[in-house]
Amino acid sequence: GGEVLRLVLVALRDMQGAGELLRVASVSRGFRDATRNPALWAVVCLSDDTPIDDASLTSICSLGAGGVETLDFFAGPGLRMYTLVRAVQLNPRLAELHVAGCAAHSEFDLAELSLVLQDHASLAALSLEDCALTARSVHKLLPLFLCSTSLTSLSLAHNAAIGAGGIVALCAAVRVSTSLTSLDLRGCAVSASNANDLAQVLLASPSLTDLQLDPLAQLGAASSITFRNASSPSLPRPL
């Protein structure tokens, strides 16, 4: 099943969508079964050498028939955030969304993604890595971070333009979250001051136990924080 799924996705990329894929599928039993069995599309995890564009993601959602539970992929230059939002809407059971490299978006797209994901009660993990996010982007996503009671893992890694303003806003949301246990901000140019704020959040949060920062930021925070007691969470060791 896994190898057939990989071949189908490569075909979607190379053949520009589902129409040509279905023609090829008519002469290949494995491809035909893959295109007709939504269960094979419940978990879609792709390596970086199979980037997804608008047509491919639309086809995946069509073939998955609303049953996709995990989406993990690298966005090609032809993928817009607008299409990702539509994909999320069509898959209400989505539990994990991991997207890297989706830089084609507006503030409205991010606000809509936040709104749509709030309706996904099963969403447990969200990664928007290297997606050209800024401080304003973080503000658009804040309602999701504040309202979700199912989100346990969040990665905004490799978004260096988030800046101090974005980190401060994120700290406010994480501090009150009762579900988030893991936060990854590696590659976000976290300053020593921001790292200190994040370490304070780690101590105060009712749920957060894993905070990943760049090594220098980790060291800067750790050197200026006095943990309250032996049971308090601690910063991970520098990578």
Side-chain angles (χ1 to χ4, degrees):
E3 178 62 15
V4 170
L5 176 59
R6 187 189 70 80
L7 292 173
V8 169
L9 291 170
V10 169
L12 286 173
R13 179 194 64 187
D14 295 342
M15 298 178 188
Q16 302 299 313
E20 180 66 9
L21 171 64
L22 293 176
R23 185 188 68 78
V24 174
S26 66
V27 296
S28 169
R29 179 177 178 182
F31 271 44
R32 183 170 63 251
D33 291 345
T35 58
R36 293 180 178 177
N37 184 2
L40 287 178
W41 300 88
V43 177
V44 178
C45 297
L46 300 173
S47 60
D48 291 356
D49 62 354
T50 311
I52 292 297
D53 59 11
D54 279 355
S56 300
L57 185 56
T58 300
S59 297
I60 288 170
C61 292
S62 176
L63 296 167
V68 178
E69 298 174 5
T70 297
L71 272 175
D72 185 344
F73 63 88
F74 181 82
L79 180 71
R80 298 169 297 163
M81 184 69 72
Y82 171 85
T83 306
L84 178 61
V85 173
R86 301 283 83 77
V88 171
Q89 282 183 314
L90 292 172
N91 291 280
R93 298 200 306 241
L94 193 66
E96 295 189 29
L97 177 61
H98 306 283
V99 182
C102 186
H105 56 72
S106 65
E107 291 181 8
F108 176 80
D109 292 331
L110 292 169
E112 190 173 14
L113 178 66
S114 175
L115 182 63
V116 169
L117 285 174
Q118 287 177 56
D119 291 332
H120 285 58
S122 58
L123 182 70
L126 173 64
S127 299
L128 296 174
E129 299 185 355
D130 192 21
C131 287
L133 301 182
T134 65
R136 292 180 66 87
S137 303
V138 172
H139 280 275
K140 296 301 181 182
L141 293 168
L142 277 183
L144 170 64
F145 305 153
L146 288 167
C147 297
S148 176
T149 57
S150 61
L151 186 66
T152 60
S153 176
L154 172 65
S155 176
L156 301 180
H158 308 296
N159 287 289
I162 284 178
I167 297 297
V168 169
L170 190 59
C171 283
V174 174
R175 188 182 294 271
V176 299
S177 172
T178 58
S179 62
L180 194 68
T181 62
S182 176
L183 176 62
D184 189 348
L185 294 174
R186 290 174 295 177
C188 290
V190 176
S191 67
S193 175
N194 285 151
N196 194 37
D197 293 338
L198 286 163
Q200 294 286 1
V201 170
L202 181 63
L203 289 171
S205 169
S207 58
L208 189 66
T209 59
D210 179 23
L211 173 61
Q212 298 186 58
L213 306 175
D214 292 320
L216 288 178
Q218 288 179 340
L219 288 172
S223 64
S224 61
I225 290 296
T226 300
F227 295 110
R228 294 173 295 183
N229 54 56
S231 63
S232 295
S234 60
L235 284 170
R237 294 178 180 178
L239 299 175

